Amino acid sequence: MTSFSTVLKLQFGLLACLLTASCRQASTALPIAENVLDSGWVMAPSQVVGDEVDKVLEHTAENDWYPALVPGTVLGALVEAGVYPDPFIGTRMDSIPAQVFQSPWWFKKSLYIHNLNSEEQVILYLDGINYRADIWLNQQLIADKDSIYGAFRQFALPVSRAIKEGENQLLIKIYPPQVRDFYMGFVDWAPTPADHFMGIFRDIRLKRSGSVFIEDVFVESDFDVCDTSNAELKAQVALRNASDRPEQITLALRIAGQQLKKQIVLEPFAHRIVSFDHRDFPQLQIKNPKLWWPNGLGAPSLYKAAVKLYNKNQELSDSNYLTFGIRKIETYRNSNQGRHYKINGRDILIKAAGWVDDLFLRYLPDKDRAQIQYVQDMGLNALRLEGVWANNQHLYDLCDQYGILVMPRWSCQWEWPDYLGLPLEMKAGDENLPINEGVERYAIKLMPKEKDLLATYFRDQVKWLRNHPSILTWLGGSDAMPPPDLEQRYLDTLAKYAPTTSFLISAGEFTSTISGKSGMKMNGPYQYVPPVYWYEDKKLGGAYGFNSEVGPGPQIPPIKSIEKMIPPAYRWPADNAVWNYHSGRKDFASLSIYLEALQKRYGPSPNLATLAFKAQLLNYEAIRPMFEAHVMNRKQAGGVVQWMLNSPWPEFYWQLYDYYLMPNAAYFGTKKALQPILPLYNYHDRSIYLSNDTRQDLRKHQLLVQVYNLQSQLISRQVIPIDQMKANHVVKLIKVPSGKQEPVTFLHLAVLNEHGQAVADNFYWLSAQMDTLDWNTYSWFYTPSKEFANFRPLSELPPVKLEMAKKFLRNEGAYQVWQITLKNTSDKLSFFNELQLMNESLTDNVLPVLWSDNYLSLLPYEVKMITVRYPEDQNARIQLQSVNGEVKIF
């Protein structure tokens, strides 16, 4: 927050003199409230309505004002208003003129204030503006662009002297970011919008309180990880007296079911932090606390806290409410200097993916919830944010509720000159050099004022998010690291405001003179690599150390998503400029590497439908071993971050589900790999492993291993007893028979409990012709293949007709849940069945959707029951497609 000592004190001092002459009506009760100002905004370009406040207010021509998105961006609002047709189709984004956004835009809103009290304080909170702003209330300049600047600064502006009873006019003049301004970005993931994200991208809030009010509240917890029967809580409440007289107040704290009070006298214009801890209040020793656990290890239990202030007349002066969790996060480096984390004393493998916001920074709460439910469903337990994303705290609230750890940091575009509008001067031959190999030559050299800005950014964001138990760590850099003096300021900020949260110097492999080695690595790949890579590689992105961003490259979505973003004339053949436009940028502006692997492994595709389906084979097969290799090797591999999770706009790169929320097969490959109990196949040593990534030992189980050939003949079957297996443990069991006489074999693994019921399964298709990597020609973003596995014989599989039955199970909030029974009545294996939920007219997918399993194979005569959850207001049909191309509708 902006320092109240420089802004509030002067304004509140003047306010005390003005209030006696105010036209306000005194009342017996103060109107305590905080409202988000998220509706009723309009906007207009200064090029049209001018730069003078009076003229702007007089300019009432409706055609010159557009409905504004708050939070959101100027371009996003114009798209919503229909000024520009959907820029996510084809290459329309390039046709939007940049000059429209090179001058300031005005945002205007009418505020209606009732029962204004002579004793109350009114504060305007600005949580995020890109990039500078002048702010007027009722034609009074509250603050100007010389003080209101910086995308990740947060401001609290007292407006009591300017606000009035009845209608008020709030005007905000937004100035676009300029060269070397530090704002959000999407680097090589997406095109940069013409407005460079100009707008009010986070909440604006108006708070009304008494003369003493709450600035913020922080709750921290501590406990012994060896004895979790007792936890100690501490609460800090920051208070401010905005009046020119001493104020006697009662501070009431209700926390974890306990009611606590303190009597305080606050001097005129004073600021004070009031603490509650167990030494003064034994009630803050919580017996048998419910701990907050990440996804897969337990319930993410949350507690509530409420703070209320009462004046000397015992009238409510202010209030604040929050949730928090009791958990302890520890970090260390192993003997190989790799980063590891513990939560509540238990080692945890960080199974993460990279989150990104909507390209127009729109607030989409329903979509956010659906995405976090997807994250939980896949078995992921963390998100890495390439930036401090989100319009408000909703995303972080969701992560708290669903047990998803969060790793926020600044955008890596700040570390690359060209993304800040500066020339990137590289030596010839260094075009593909990652910044962490030449950081001193190419990284931005920060000026003192820029370090001050970034330190302020960090303080504001830490204070904003510090109560969320989901925050795993704060990263200081991505492709580079902050200089030592700035790192020390970051560390000092955490020590002061969030002492239970750790700091990590960078996502890359860097060594700080202050905090030592990062324990992270960021060596790629970002393009397609075959399954064996993750087990074979020992020097780049293989499953050792903490892989902070890594992945097998593009993931082409199912066909309906392709049809939405690619105009008909450019859908086929796929390797064209429009498809590339919906890929990444720079080294990732093409699908050629992915398409080559697809064709050589699975054969040519004669049409778009075939390509879209075959792509799912490659998506599933490529992503699953990446996660499985890290699960298998988790004692050496502290974490893995799939690059990425989602997409800011419709594209083909780095996504487990697409912009429209359509999961591709990589989603289900991830979900299969992250089963708590996991039987897996190591593509390098060709052995079977079993992982127990739960908090309970595994007893009286069996592992069933079966191998089939292309004719669906069972050529090998073994049952391995698992009498006892420790929690958080991996064992190597047997080597798989090679089946070298068979061009393709199928490997089925199932873990059975003592009742013979399957508690986990896995299914692989394996080629006699092995993938071979060319280790002599690798680059920073991938290692090419010299030879590819041959799965073309899969096209010879005979068609198998499955029987399907659908049964309604229950409603879950706004969703309906159905059970799907698939039955294979033949003696042939039914391979790689894709289930899509379609609308009644079969023109589009029903989304969001949660399948318990998909892209699944059925053994001869096997019956499988799965569930599907989708919105209750949708009538849906199921489309079933198998690898031989047959499509059936149920």
Side-chain angles (χ1 to χ4, degrees):
M1 293 289 182
T2 300
S3 172
F4 276 92
S5 63
T6 57
V7 178
L8 284 172
K9 190 170 182 179
L10 291 174
Q11 295 200 21
F12 282 133
L14 178 59
L15 173 63
C17 299
L18 295 174
L19 282 179
T20 56
S22 169
C23 61
R24 304 180 182 197
Q25 299 296 315
S27 62
T28 57
L30 292 167
I32 308 303
E34 181 174 301
N35 295 306
V36 177
L37 307 182
D38 58 356
S39 62
W41 290 89
V42 292
M43 66 181 192
S46 62
Q47 296 171 348
V48 174
V49 300
D51 288 305
E52 302 290 334
V53 174
D54 293 344
K55 292 181 179 179
V56 171
L57 290 173
E58 291 170 1
H59 197 110
T60 56
E62 290 187 3
N63 291 339
D64 293 336
W65 291 90
Y66 304 94
L69 290 180
V70 176
T73 64
V74 172
L75 179 54
L78 293 175
V79 170
E80 293 284 335
V83 176
Y84 301 111
D86 187 355
F88 289 172
I89 296 175
T91 59
R92 290 178 183 173
M93 187 80 77
D94 279 353
S95 66
I96 298 173
Q99 63 267 26
V100 176
F101 310 103
Q102 291 173 355
S103 298
W105 279 67
W106 288 93
F107 284 69
K108 181 173 68 172
K109 177 178 174 56
S110 294
L111 299 175
Y112 292 89
I113 303 297
H114 302 289
N115 302 319
L116 199 59
N117 189 293
S118 61
E119 294 294 320
E120 75 174 279
Q121 307 304 317
V122 185
I123 301 173
L124 187 68
Y125 289 97
L126 311 177
D127 289 342
I129 287 180
N130 189 30
Y131 186 76
R132 291 179 181 267
D134 297 325
I135 300 168
W136 284 267
L137 182 60
N138 298 327
Q139 297 181 267
Q140 293 188 41
L141 181 63
I142 303 300
D144 65 19
K145 65 180 185 301
D146 292 330
S147 59
I148 307 299
Y149 67 91
F152 293 97
R153 291 176 69 191
Q154 298 188 338
F155 303 91
L157 305 176
V159 296
S160 300
R161 63 174 176 167
I163 206 154
K164 64 184 181 181
E165 183 81 17
E167 184 177 3
N168 295 257
Q169 287 293 330
L170 178 60
L171 271 176
I172 301 181
K173 187 179 184 182
I174 302 291
Y175 295 80
Q178 303 298 315
V179 170
R180 210 176 172 105
D181 281 342
F182 294 84
Y183 61 100
M184 67 292 299
F186 293 80
V187 288
D188 53 11
W189 322 321
T192 299
D195 67 344
H196 288 265
F197 317 105
M198 172 172 54
I200 304 170
F201 75 98
R202 282 189 174 153
D203 284 346
I204 291 186
R205 298 170 287 128
L206 190 72
K207 177 176 176 175
R208 302 173 67 180
S209 71
S211 58
V212 178
F213 58 92
I214 302 166
E215 286 188 331
D216 57 56
V217 182
F218 175 50
V219 176
E220 58 182 299
S221 60
D222 192 21
F223 58 88
D224 183 347
V225 295
C226 297
D227 179 9
T228 60
S229 62
N230 183 69
E232 297 171 350
L233 301 183
K234 180 180 179 181
Q236 293 181 329
V237 183
L239 303 178
R240 185 169 295 277
N241 181 5
S243 74
D244 62 349
R245 61 184 181 272
E247 293 285 354
Q248 181 178 325
I249 63 167
T250 300
L251 176 56
L253 169 65
R254 184 170 181 81
I255 184 168
Q258 303 296 318
Q259 185 71 46
L260 315 174
K261 287 186 179 181
K262 277 192 174 184
Q263 304 290 332
I264 298 169
V265 175
L266 212 56
E267 296 302 315
F269 305 117
H271 171 266
R272 185 190 300 183
I273 295 177
V274 181
S275 295
F276 294 80
D277 63 39
H278 68 280
R279 289 168 293 186
D280 298 322
F281 297 93
Q283 305 97 307
L284 292 179
Q285 293 188 2
I286 308 301
K287 301 298 181 184
N288 300 313
K290 295 180 179 179
L291 301 183
W292 188 93
W293 287 97
N295 187 31
L297 290 181
S301 300
L302 294 171
Y303 287 84
K304 294 181 179 181
V307 182
K308 293 187 178 182
L309 287 182
Y310 298 91
N311 62 23
K312 62 182 178 180
N313 298 321
Q314 291 305 298
E315 297 168 330
L316 185 65
S317 182
D318 199 6
S319 60
N320 189 291
Y321 303 89
L322 62 89
T323 59
F324 66 95
I326 299 176
R327 59 98 175 101
K328 177 174 283 189
I329 292 174
E330 301 167 281
T331 184
Y332 65 95
R333 294 190 299 269
N334 66 11
S335 58
N336 295 319
Q337 297 300 305
R339 177 69 54 185
H340 285 255
Y341 286 91
K342 290 184 177 183
I343 186 156
N344 303 333
R346 200 264 199 193
D347 275 291
I348 178 174
L349 174 69
I350 300 300
K351 299 173 279 191
W355 171 278
V356 65
D357 275 6
D358 172 75
L359 192 61
F360 296 144
L361 307 183
R362 290 170 287 197
Y363 179 40
L364 305 169
D366 292 339
K367 185 175 183 179
D368 287 349
R369 181 174 292 275
Q371 292 185 84
I372 298 304
Q373 289 174 343
Y374 278 3
V375 171
Q376 183 194 52
D377 180 60
M378 282 184 279
L380 295 166
N381 60 21
L383 295 175
R384 179 185 160 200
L385 310 189
E386 182 71 54
V388 185
W389 291 115
N391 309 96
N392 47 44
Q393 298 204 27
H394 182 245
L395 172 65
Y396 303 93
D397 290 339
L398 290 171
C399 290
D400 292 345
Q401 296 165 21
Y402 287 91
I404 308 302
L405 294 160
V406 182
M407 305 169 70
R409 55 147 276 104
W410 305 132
S411 174
C412 72
Q413 79 166 26
W414 300 354
E415 298 159 345
W416 288 93
D418 51 331
Y419 286 111
L420 287 182
L422 300 168
L424 177 60
E425 299 176 357
M426 282 189 171
K427 295 179 181 179
D430 282 357
E431 291 81 5
N432 291 330
L433 183 69
I435 203 165
N436 60 352
E437 291 183 25
V439 63
E440 292 184 358
R441 283 181 286 170
Y442 304 135
I444 293 292
K445 305 301 187 294
L446 296 172
M447 295 181 288
K449 287 186 177 180
E450 292 172 332
K451 292 179 182 179
D452 292 342
L453 177 66
L454 299 187
T456 304
Y457 276 7
F458 191 73
R459 180 201 65 195
D460 289 356
Q461 300 306 300
V462 166
K463 291 181 68 176
W464 189 54
L465 297 175
R466 59 182 174 168
N467 283 302
H468 292 280
S470 55
I471 300 296
L472 172 66
T473 189
W474 286 87
L475 279 74
S478 178
D479 300 356
M481 66 176 178
D485 57 339
L486 183 55
E487 180 190 1
Q488 188 59 59
R489 294 172 75 173
Y490 289 161
L491 292 170
D492 292 344
T493 292
L494 283 177
K496 181 176 180 180
Y497 295 110
T500 60
T501 305
S502 67
F503 180 76
L504 188 55
I505 184 64
S506 179
E509 187 176 351
F510 290 97
T511 300
S512 162
T513 57
I514 297 174
S515 55
K517 292 181 178 294
S518 67
M520 312 291 277
K521 67 172 185 174
M522 203 166 63
N523 299 330
Y526 299 89
Q527 283 278 17
Y528 174 80
V529 289
V532 70
Y533 172 93
W534 307 102
Y535 297 95
E536 182 178 346
D537 173 70
K538 302 301 180 185
K539 61 181 178 180
L540 296 170
Y544 66 93
F546 196 120
N547 255 322
S548 65
E549 57 177 65
V550 70
Q555 284 91 21
I556 291 179
I559 190 168
K560 292 301 179 185
S561 292
I562 300 174
E563 292 173 350
K564 290 175 187 175
M565 60 177 162
I566 306 297
Y570 300 96
R571 289 176 188 163
W572 193 255
D575 193 7
N576 62 59
V578 179
W579 278 63
N580 290 341
Y581 188 78
H582 285 265
S583 298
R585 295 298 180 265
K586 294 189 175 181
D587 294 295
F588 310 108
S590 170
L591 288 166
S592 58
I593 294 172
Y594 176 94
L595 292 174
E596 179 192 20
L598 181 63
Q599 178 171 335
K600 289 191 173 180
R601 297 174 78 82
Y602 293 101
S605 298
N607 52 49
L608 179 61
T610 303
L611 174 71
F613 184 85
K614 283 187 175 181
Q616 306 317 312
L617 285 157
L618 195 67
N619 292 346
Y620 195 111
E621 186 200 17
I623 198 75
R624 177 176 56 176
M626 183 190 78
F627 280 110
E628 289 184 341
H630 285 82
V631 169
M632 184 199 79
N633 204 34
R634 63 177 173 267
K635 297 301 182 183
Q636 289 74 41
V640 56
V641 182
Q642 149 65 13
W643 209 247
M644 297 178 66
L645 170 75
N646 57 353
S647 295
W649 82 310
E651 62 178 335
F652 297 112
Y653 257 80
W654 304 320
Q655 54 189 0
L656 300 179
Y657 54 88
D658 64 29
Y659 180 79
Y660 309 108
L661 297 182
M662 180 64 188
N664 65 68
Y667 179 110
F668 297 98
T670 299
K671 183 172 181 174
K672 187 63 69 174
L674 299 184
Q675 299 174 93
I677 298 171
L678 174 68
L680 66 91
Y681 171 73
N682 181 324
Y683 284 83
H684 186 53
D685 69 13
R686 305 178 194 179
S687 297
I688 305 298
Y689 292 73
L690 182 62
S691 166
N692 177 13
D693 194 16
T694 72
R695 290 166 56 202
Q696 292 81 37
D697 292 352
L698 201 63
R699 293 184 174 90
K700 297 181 180 179
H701 282 62
Q702 294 179 327
L703 176 64
L704 174 63
V705 181
Q706 300 183 103
V707 180
Y708 289 81
N709 63 14
L710 281 169
Q711 290 72 45
S712 301
Q713 297 168 332
L714 181 64
I715 58 177
S716 174
R717 185 179 190 275
Q718 290 180 268
V719 178
I720 303 168
I722 311 295
D723 296 326
Q724 182 171 357
M725 182 179 177
K726 293 181 179 180
N728 195 21
H729 197 60
V730 179
V731 294
K732 180 178 180 180
L733 296 174
I734 62 167
K735 197 173 185 68
V736 175
S738 62
K740 286 187 177 179
Q741 286 86 20
E742 305 287 345
V744 174
T745 54
F746 302 103
L747 172 64
H748 171 245
L749 307 175
V751 179
L752 311 177
N753 63 17
E754 58 184 321
H755 305 294
Q757 301 166 325
V759 297
D761 67 346
N762 222 334
F763 189 89
Y764 298 83
W765 51 105
L766 306 174
S767 171
Q769 179 175 309
M770 304 297 293
D771 289 294
T772 305
L773 289 149
D774 186 357
W775 292 109
N776 294 322
T777 59
Y778 72 88
S779 67
W780 68 270
F781 60 90
Y782 94 118
T783 301
S785 296
K786 290 194 294 187
E787 294 184 11
F788 292 88
N790 180 17
F791 292 112
R792 297 187 183 198
L794 290 172
S795 62
E796 302 168 8
L797 288 171
V800 176
K801 294 183 178 180
L802 299 180
E803 294 181 0
M804 180 184 291
K806 182 179 177 183
K807 175 184 177 182
F808 175 76
L809 290 182
R810 62 188 177 273
N811 285 316
E812 290 182 357
Y815 296 91
Q816 52 185 315
V817 182
W818 291 75
Q819 178 179 283
I820 310 299
T821 301
L822 289 175
K823 186 175 183 180
N824 184 358
T825 59
S826 76
D827 62 354
K828 302 298 181 184
L829 186 147
S830 178
F831 176 61
F832 206 72
N833 292 278
E834 175 191 72
L835 294 163
Q836 289 195 46
L837 205 63
M838 309 296 295
N839 59 18
E840 287 190 291
S841 59
L842 304 178
T843 57
D844 201 359
N845 299 109
V846 173
L847 300 169
V849 61
L850 286 176
W851 294 96
S852 62
D853 197 6
N854 207 336
Y855 298 97
L856 63 167
S857 299
L858 279 77
L859 302 177
Y861 303 110
E862 185 177 14
V863 177
K864 284 193 173 182
M865 288 185 292
I866 60 177
T867 59
V868 59
R869 193 191 77 152
Y870 57 94
E872 64 176 353
D873 59 352
Q874 296 287 326
N875 294 319
R877 304 177 71 182
I878 295 176
Q879 175 181 292
L880 172 66
Q881 181 174 354
S882 61
V883 77
N884 58 24
E886 288 195 352
V887 179
K888 292 186 68 176
I889 305 297
F890 294 90

